[in-house]
């Protein structure tokens, strides 16, 4: 915690040593989040630089009361990687916001999003810790089934089976019929 | 893409994508922690020896399984971790063989074999040090890759700690203060390794986890099943002696044997013992001058046996086990005694594990003539079966008296055996001769013990013979004994 706070303070003071420390200490974690979304090593390095820059720019938006440092950092990296992928693909969709939470939605949008978010959060909380981790690995960090299988010490087939059951349970929890 | 995936992905981009995941999820997702936690917990379990409830056997197996699973995930990371994985597999194999052998009565003999010693040292000690060295080198590579400026000394300290432990073990230097010091140091080393693991985990050290065909839980289940089946097979098939039971050849009784039997019966030789003797043993008592015997009966053999001492020929209806001692005075100078120790079970008897007859002869001026002999008998259907003892040897040993103030020399004889299942009245006897070597010698005394099992063999397996030699009576064996002194018949009237 001490080193983490030290890096955050350096970044908030706009001290260049903060960016160096961020890369030295959290570089592997940032690479780990970016790699499944951007398989090309060159894209990964470009995205890593962009992510460090965004952390530098948006550090004042980090509020420890809303979530942990590593959660915020991985969210910035994930969104940076997704935006990089969209730009590279040239699909013309609007890039994801780096502001967490997203800035200034209309009150109606905010209410609707909040309701849907709470509904999904409730459904996720009813899952076991193991299934929650699997869900975030697959749908948030966008890891491949092969990567999840290797890192959790199981087979791809077993991961696929667990994801199938997980989707079914979530669909039921969100008011669906549970069929694929 | 299914309907859920479309809506699910959209929902995530729209909803969860805008909200960071909970901190505990981020920590669980990073890949390094799981593997290192397994290795560190495994090393701790394999190091600690707690000699209660067989934890000294269970914990190292569980510990090595965790170490194996940990290195399995890391084996693609670098060559040293791959070597660690192979070495932990070798160590686990060695441990599985050792744990299976401990469920047999032969483990002490096998452990003493030079070939086994070489295999055990290679698969155990050498593999352990090679593993610790590779672990140290592998971690150093990881630290280098994670661009850590200051390397941890924990892995090297762990290697040195094990080396010191080995030196202490070889010199049998186990005193409390040293053990407490070693445990404290090991706790510090493991804490240092935990801190290293945590530091690497915080950085989200990008592990190259190896894909697996068999999930970790399945691999662990298979390995546990292998160890357990080894132990169960050892217990079922090798926890008792292989006895050679053969039918007794029916031969016509010679006139000389019949005459000697009649003489002995007339002198008071118990008929239930006489009927079990071989013709040679009966003829060795030819011309007997005097016979004296005593019978003890024991009931509740599974609990604390209750003893009923009674006169010869008395039938103790409640007794499961009868011990009979018979002393036959033979003619001639110097004086010679022929001694028989007999046991017989009723139909309820322990048909598992191992048994042992033990004789401690305190000669008091007499000398045993040769090793004891005898045989085992039982009835199956209409057939009478016999078997020799596994061995019957005699040796002179010095025993302390109860308070340890003085010692005396005794001739010890041990005759181990196992009883078959589904037979009636399993029984047997041991016999030996003593000769007077000092004129006006005192009477010889014989401590006759029958050590039988009260339950299935414990783990690791010990035999009744080992329990008898060590005088351990707080275990799965119980002794019943009889002290027999031959004075009523000497000198013969």
């Amino acid at each position: 915690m001490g080193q983490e706070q030290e890096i955050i303070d350096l970044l908030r003071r706009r001290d260049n040593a903060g960016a160096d420390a961020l890369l030295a200490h959290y570089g592997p974690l940032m690479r780990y989040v970016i790699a499944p979304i951007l398989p090309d090593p060159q894209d990964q390095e470009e995205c890593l630089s962009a992510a460090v820059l965004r952390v530098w720019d948006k550090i004042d938006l980090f509020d420890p009361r809303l979530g942990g440092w590593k959660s915020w950092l991985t969210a910035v990296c994930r969104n940076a990687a997704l935006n990089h992928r969209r730009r590279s693909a040239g699909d013309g969709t609007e890039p994801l916001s780096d502001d967490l939470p997203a800035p200034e939605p209309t009150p109606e949008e905010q209410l609707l999003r909040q309701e849907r978010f709470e509904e999904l959060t409730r459904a996720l909380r009813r899952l076991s810790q193991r299934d929650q981790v699997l869900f975030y690995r697959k749908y948030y960090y966008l890891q491949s089934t092969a990567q999840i299988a290797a890192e959790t010490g199981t087979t791809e087939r077993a991961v696929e089976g667990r994801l199938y059951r997980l989707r079914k349970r979530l669909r039921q929890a969100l008011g669906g019929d549970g069929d694929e | 893409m299914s309907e859920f995936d479309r809506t699910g992905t959209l929902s995530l981009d729209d909803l969860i994508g805008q909200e960071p995941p909970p901190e505990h999820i981020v920590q669980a997702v990073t890949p390094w922690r799981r593997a290192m936690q397994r290795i560190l917990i495994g090393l701790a379990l394999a190091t600690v020896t707690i000699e209660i409830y067989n934890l000294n056997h269970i914990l190292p197996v569980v510990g090595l399984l965790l170490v194996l699973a940990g290195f399995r995930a890391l084996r693609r990371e670098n060559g040293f971790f791959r070597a660690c994985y192979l070495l932990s597999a070798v160590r686990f194999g060695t441990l599985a063989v050792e744990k299976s052998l401990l469920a047999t009565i032969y483990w002490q003999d096998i452990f003493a074999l030079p070939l086994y010693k070489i295999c055990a040292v290679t698969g155990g000690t050498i593999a352990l040090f090679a593993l610790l060295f590779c672990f140290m080198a592998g971690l150093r590579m990881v630290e280098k890759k994670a661009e850590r400026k200051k390397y941890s000394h924990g892995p090297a300290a762990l290697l040195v700690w094990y080396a010191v432990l080995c030196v202490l073990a070889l010199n049998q230097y186990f005193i409390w203060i040293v053990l407490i010091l070693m445990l404290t140091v090991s706790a510090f080393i493991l804490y240092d390794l935990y801190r290293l693991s945590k530091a690497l985990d915080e950085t989200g050290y990008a592990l190259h986890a190896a894909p697996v065909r068999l999930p970790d839980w399945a691999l662990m289940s298979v390995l546990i099943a292998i160890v357990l089946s080894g132990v169960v097979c050892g217990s079922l098939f090798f926890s008792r002696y292989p006895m050679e039971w053969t039918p007794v050849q029916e031969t016509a009784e010679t006139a000389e044997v019949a005459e000697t039997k009649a003489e002995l019966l007339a002198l008071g030789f118990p008929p239930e013992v006489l009927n079990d003797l071989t013709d040679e043993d009966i003829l060795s008592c030819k011309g007997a001058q005097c016979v004296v015997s005593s019978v003890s009966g024991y009931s509740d053999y599974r609990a604390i046996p209750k003893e009923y001492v009674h006169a010869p020929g008395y039938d103790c209806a409640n007794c499961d086990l009868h011990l009979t001692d018979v002393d036959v005075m033979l003619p001639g100078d110097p004086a010679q005694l022929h001694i028989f120790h007999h046991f017989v079970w009723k139909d309820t008897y322990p048909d598992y594990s191992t048994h042992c007859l033990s004789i401690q002869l305190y000669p008091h001026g007499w000398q045993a003539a040769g090793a004891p002999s005898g045989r085992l008998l039982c009835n199956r259907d209409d057939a009478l079966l016999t078997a020799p003892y596994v061995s019957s040897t005699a040796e002179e040993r010095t025993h302390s008296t109860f308070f340890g103030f003085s010692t005396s020399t005794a001739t010890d004889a041990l005759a181990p055996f196992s009883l078959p299942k589904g037979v009636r009245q399993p029984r047997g006897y041991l016999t030996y001769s003593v000769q007077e070597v000092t004129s006006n010698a005192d009477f010889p005394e014989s401590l006759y013990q029958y050590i039988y099992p009260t339950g299935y063999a414990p783990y690791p397996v010990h035999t009744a013979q080992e329990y008898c030699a060590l005088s351990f009576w707080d275990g799965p064996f119980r002794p019943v004994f009889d002290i027999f002194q031959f004075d009523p018949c000497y000198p013969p009237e």
Side-chain angles (χ1 to χ4, degrees):
Chain A
M1 185 59 80
Q3 196 164 13
E4 175 187 309
Q5 193 54 50
E6 203 178 307
I7 292 170
I8 294 166
D9 291 343
L10 285 170
L11 290 168
R12 282 193 170 140
R13 288 201 302 270
R14 303 289 161 194
D15 188 332
N16 285 336
D20 293 339
L22 175 73
L23 209 52
H25 198 70
Y26 292 105
L29 175 63
M30 295 167 83
R31 281 194 183 90
Y32 175 72
V33 174
I34 292 167
I37 304 167
L38 298 171
D40 182 55
Q42 195 183 333
D43 286 345
Q44 287 174 17
E45 285 308 308
E46 284 173 14
C47 181
L48 179 67
S49 305
V52 171
L53 197 61
R54 281 174 199 187
V55 171
W56 175 270
D57 287 342
K58 307 288 182 186
I59 187 67
D60 290 332
L61 289 177
F62 168 61
D63 184 350
R65 288 169 302 178
L66 298 178
W69 161 249
K70 280 166 75 178
S71 303
W72 186 82
L73 185 65
T74 56
V76 170
C77 292
R78 171 189 176 273
N79 289 353
L82 283 174
N83 285 336
H84 195 283
R85 190 171 73 180
R86 282 173 191 179
R87 270 197 300 274
S88 302
D91 59 6
T93 52
E94 195 182 330
L96 292 173
S97 169
D98 299 319
D99 302 337
L100 299 170
E104 306 296 327
T106 63
E108 210 172 88
E109 279 175 347
Q110 196 169 10
L111 186 66
L112 186 64
R113 188 161 61 191
Q114 190 63 27
E115 275 177 9
R116 290 171 67 192
F117 176 71
E118 280 171 8
E119 200 179 345
L120 192 61
T121 306
R122 274 197 300 275
L124 279 173
R125 276 188 194 147
R126 282 197 290 271
L127 299 175
S128 65
Q129 157 96 2
R130 193 163 158 252
D131 282 345
Q132 285 183 45
V133 172
L134 178 66
F135 179 85
Y136 275 99
R137 275 181 183 276
K138 183 69 183 173
Y139 294 109
Y140 186 83
Y141 291 111
L142 305 174
Q143 293 179 350
S144 67
T145 308
Q147 184 184 355
I148 297 170
E151 289 183 5
T152 54
T154 189
T155 58
E156 287 186 47
R157 197 180 169 81
V159 171
E160 280 163 9
R162 275 177 58 202
L163 280 168
Y164 170 79
R165 288 190 293 276
L166 181 60
R167 283 196 296 266
K168 200 171 172 181
R169 284 183 62 191
L170 276 177
R171 195 179 305 106
Q172 282 170 342
L174 294 170
D177 59 5
D179 294 332
E180 282 286 328
Chain B
M1 189 183 275
S2 70
E3 183 64 20
F4 176 84
D5 281 340
R6 274 201 300 278
T7 54
T9 308
L10 283 173
S11 293
L12 283 169
D13 283 349
D14 194 28
L15 301 169
I16 293 185
Q18 299 300 315
E19 293 285 341
E23 190 74 3
H24 70 276
I25 297 292
V26 181
Q27 284 177 1
V29 166
T30 50
W32 174 260
R33 167 184 292 219
R34 188 178 146 110
M36 274 302 285
Q37 268 183 354
R38 283 179 172 179
I39 292 167
L40 293 182
I41 293 171
L43 284 173
L45 290 180
T47 306
V48 176
T49 303
I50 303 171
E51 292 197 7
I52 49 168
Y53 303 119
N54 274 330
L55 286 177
N56 53 331
H57 299 287
I58 295 167
L59 292 183
V61 172
V62 175
L64 258 183
L65 270 178
L66 288 173
V67 170
L68 187 68
F71 284 122
R72 189 180 188 223
L74 297 179
R75 70 187 192 277
R76 284 274 174 92
E77 188 56 25
N78 59 52
F80 287 112
F81 283 154
R82 189 158 48 251
C84 284
Y85 174 59
L86 294 173
L87 287 164
S88 50
V90 169
R91 286 207 71 215
F92 187 83
T94 311
L95 199 70
V97 170
E98 181 198 311
K99 298 304 170 198
S100 303
L101 285 173
L102 284 173
T104 73
I105 56 172
Y106 305 108
W107 68 268
Q108 293 198 17
D109 298 333
I110 295 171
F111 283 13
L113 294 174
L115 180 65
Y116 182 85
K117 281 181 182 169
I118 292 167
C119 293
V121 169
T122 311
T125 315
I126 294 175
L128 170 70
F129 281 101
L131 187 145
L132 290 171
F133 175 79
C134 291
F135 182 47
M136 181 182 74
L139 272 179
R140 186 56 58 88
M141 283 184 77
V142 165
E143 286 181 283
K144 208 170 169 182
K145 196 172 159 189
E147 295 173 356
R148 277 172 61 86
K149 287 171 188 160
K150 198 176 166 188
Y151 294 146
S152 165
H153 297 296
L158 190 67
L159 188 65
V160 174
W161 186 87
Y162 268 101
V164 173
L165 190 71
C166 275
V167 171
L168 291 176
L170 284 172
N171 292 299
Q172 307 232 322
Y173 193 73
F174 291 116
I175 53 174
W176 277 106
I177 188 76
V178 176
L179 287 180
I180 290 168
L181 191 70
M182 289 296 287
L183 274 177
T184 312
V185 172
S186 93
F188 275 112
I189 293 170
L190 288 173
Y191 179 66
D192 187 68
L193 286 170
Y194 168 74
R195 278 177 52 203
L196 169 64
S197 167
K198 201 175 165 209
L200 290 164
D201 182 44
E202 276 177 359
T203 64
Y205 174 71
L207 168 77
H208 295 114
V212 293
R213 285 186 186 164
L214 194 65
D216 284 349
W217 67 265
L219 178 73
M220 287 199 195
S221 305
V222 167
L223 293 175
I224 288 171
I226 288 170
V227 176
L228 284 180
S229 50
V231 171
V232 170
C233 285
S235 302
L236 284 178
F237 304 117
F238 302 103
S239 64
R240 44 191 290 138
Y241 297 113
M243 304 292 293
E244 291 175 20
W245 291 94
T246 51
V248 175
Q249 298 297 323
E250 290 291 337
T251 52
E253 197 174 77
T254 63
E256 192 181 14
V257 171
E259 188 187 331
T260 310
K261 274 176 92 171
E263 281 173 15
L264 291 170
L265 285 171
L267 287 169
F269 201 111
E272 64 274 14
V273 178
L274 191 62
N275 288 336
D276 288 340
L277 303 188
T278 60
D279 288 353
E280 291 77 26
D281 287 329
I282 293 169
L283 290 174
S284 70
C285 298
K286 193 176 178 187
Q289 292 179 319
C290 177
V291 171
V292 63
S293 66
S294 80
V295 183
S296 309
Y298 299 89
S299 66
D300 299 332
Y301 75 90
R302 285 177 203 275
I304 305 296
K306 290 175 189 165
E307 185 181 0
Y308 300 90
V309 179
H310 46 77
Y314 178 81
D315 183 25
C316 171
N318 295 326
C319 294
D320 301 312
L321 173 67
H322 285 93
L323 300 185
T324 307
D325 305 308
V326 186
D327 172 23
V328 179
M329 172 64 79
L330 297 173
D333 188 24
Q336 193 177 355
L337 296 172
H338 214 80
I339 299 157
F340 296 88
H341 294 296
H342 181 270
F343 76 89
V344 59
W345 286 95
K346 283 195 172 175
D347 293 335
T348 309
Y349 65 95
D351 58 0
Y352 38 75
S353 192
T354 58
H355 302 235
C356 186
L357 292 182
S358 159
I359 298 163
Q360 282 176 21
L361 177 72
Y362 296 88
H364 304 317
W366 296 68
Q367 190 177 38
S373 61
R375 66 172 175 171
L376 296 160
L377 293 158
C378 65
N379 297 85
R380 174 172 281 154
D381 301 327
D382 293 331
L384 179 65
L385 304 177
T386 184
Y389 292 96
V390 174
S391 64
S392 60
T393 53
E395 59 179 281
E396 280 207 348
R397 287 172 63 183
T398 303
H399 294 267
S400 297
T401 56
F402 186 75
F403 293 104
F405 294 135
S406 61
T407 56
S408 57
T409 304
T411 303
D412 286 7
L414 292 169
F417 60 97
S418 290
L419 293 177
K421 292 177 188 292
V423 297
R424 284 177 290 114
Q425 292 193 324
R427 55 199 186 274
Y429 70 92
L430 270 184
T431 179
Y432 58 97
S433 298
V434 287
Q435 255 184 353
E436 194 179 33
V437 288
T438 310
S439 55
N440 297 322
D442 207 347
F443 307 107
E445 280 177 296
S446 180
L447 172 62
Y448 169 44
Q449 291 187 91
Y450 177 22
I451 301 101
Y452 61 85
T454 54
Y456 283 95
Y459 186 86
V461 169
H462 287 279
T463 60
Q465 185 180 1
E466 287 159 10
Y467 265 71
C468 177
L470 296 169
S471 298
F472 282 172
W473 304 128
D474 265 350
F477 296 98
R478 188 159 288 133
V480 287
F481 56 87
D482 207 2
I483 298 173
F484 191 45
Q485 193 169 33
F486 313 102
D487 56 334
C489 189
Y490 185 81
E493 292 174 2

